[in-house]
Amino acid sequence: MATFQFRLETLLDLRRRRRDECRRVLAEVRRQEAELAAAGERVVQQRVSQLQELRNLNSADELNVDATSARRYYAGQLTVEIANISRQRKLLEGQIDVCRHALDKADQDVKACEHLRDKQQTQFLKAQEQRAQRELEESWSAAHRDEVNTC
């Protein structure tokens, strides 16, 4: 009995590989975004800490101008760093959207190819069944023809 051979199997494999690559890239971009989010949290905590130290220095009996100035400068630098991280996260969000759309398209392409394969396989199996039924009917007819001829 013949076996089903999908003629577009290499195309299906190619589309699956492309979908897997889209998944890998999306996972990498999401990992980068998570790292940036964690870095942003750390910088925000550092800034909060610097502002608290600045408050403590201002409430002390003696004002240490150098320490106060250094804390203010560092808190300002941290504010700039927070803004940079925020911009980078926005860029990554755009990349995530692009990756999601590419993954959706690649997944649709794979599903379309698989649907075509399933449809062709069903047609192949139906044709095989019809062929087998025809052969059975022909052998039955031949056997009965021989019975009629012998009588």
Side-chain angles (χ1 to χ4, degrees):
M1 180 180 268
T3 59
F4 175 72
Q5 291 290 329
F6 183 51
R7 292 187 327 231
L8 301 175
E9 191 67 38
T10 53
L11 177 64
L12 180 58
D13 288 342
L14 178 68
R15 287 181 174 184
R16 283 178 177 157
R17 276 189 239 114
R18 187 175 70 203
R19 180 184 61 186
D20 292 345
E21 180 64 17
C22 287
R23 283 180 180 157
R24 187 194 63 74
V25 169
L26 179 59
E28 175 63 25
V29 174
R30 282 182 172 167
R31 183 193 60 75
Q32 290 174 357
E33 199 276 333
E35 286 177 359
L36 271 178
E41 288 297 318
R42 284 191 303 272
V43 173
V44 166
Q45 290 301 320
Q46 287 175 348
R47 185 172 182 278
V48 166
S49 174
Q50 290 303 309
L51 292 175
Q52 183 60 43
E53 287 182 27
L54 185 60
R55 279 188 216 100
N56 293 342
L57 286 172
N58 286 336
S59 65
D61 292 336
E62 287 185 28
L63 182 65
N64 186 340
V65 176
D66 289 336
T68 303
S69 176
R71 296 293 184 279
R72 277 196 187 129
Y73 178 78
Y74 188 53
Q77 295 292 62
L78 292 173
T79 301
V80 170
E81 192 172 341
I82 290 169
N84 286 337
I85 289 173
S86 179
R87 276 193 297 274
Q88 289 175 349
R89 286 187 69 190
K90 286 215 182 288
L91 288 173
L92 284 178
E93 286 173 11
Q95 287 180 339
I96 287 172
D97 287 342
V98 168
C99 288
R100 279 188 185 139
H101 290 301
L103 179 58
D104 287 344
K105 174 72 171 104
D107 195 44
Q108 288 173 355
D109 290 346
V110 168
K111 286 180 181 178
C113 212
E114 287 174 341
H115 178 71
L116 178 61
R117 181 200 60 205
D118 293 345
K119 185 177 176 182
Q120 287 180 0
Q121 187 173 21
T122 301
Q123 290 172 344
F124 174 80
L125 293 173
K126 185 177 179 181
Q128 287 286 92
E129 188 177 310
Q130 288 173 347
R131 228 177 278 121
Q133 184 65 30
R134 215 175 317 120
E135 289 174 4
L136 183 62
E137 289 173 2
E138 287 173 2
S139 65
W140 185 84
S141 293
H144 279 31
R145 213 175 320 142
D146 289 343
E147 286 179 9
V148 170
N149 289 339
T150 57
C151 289

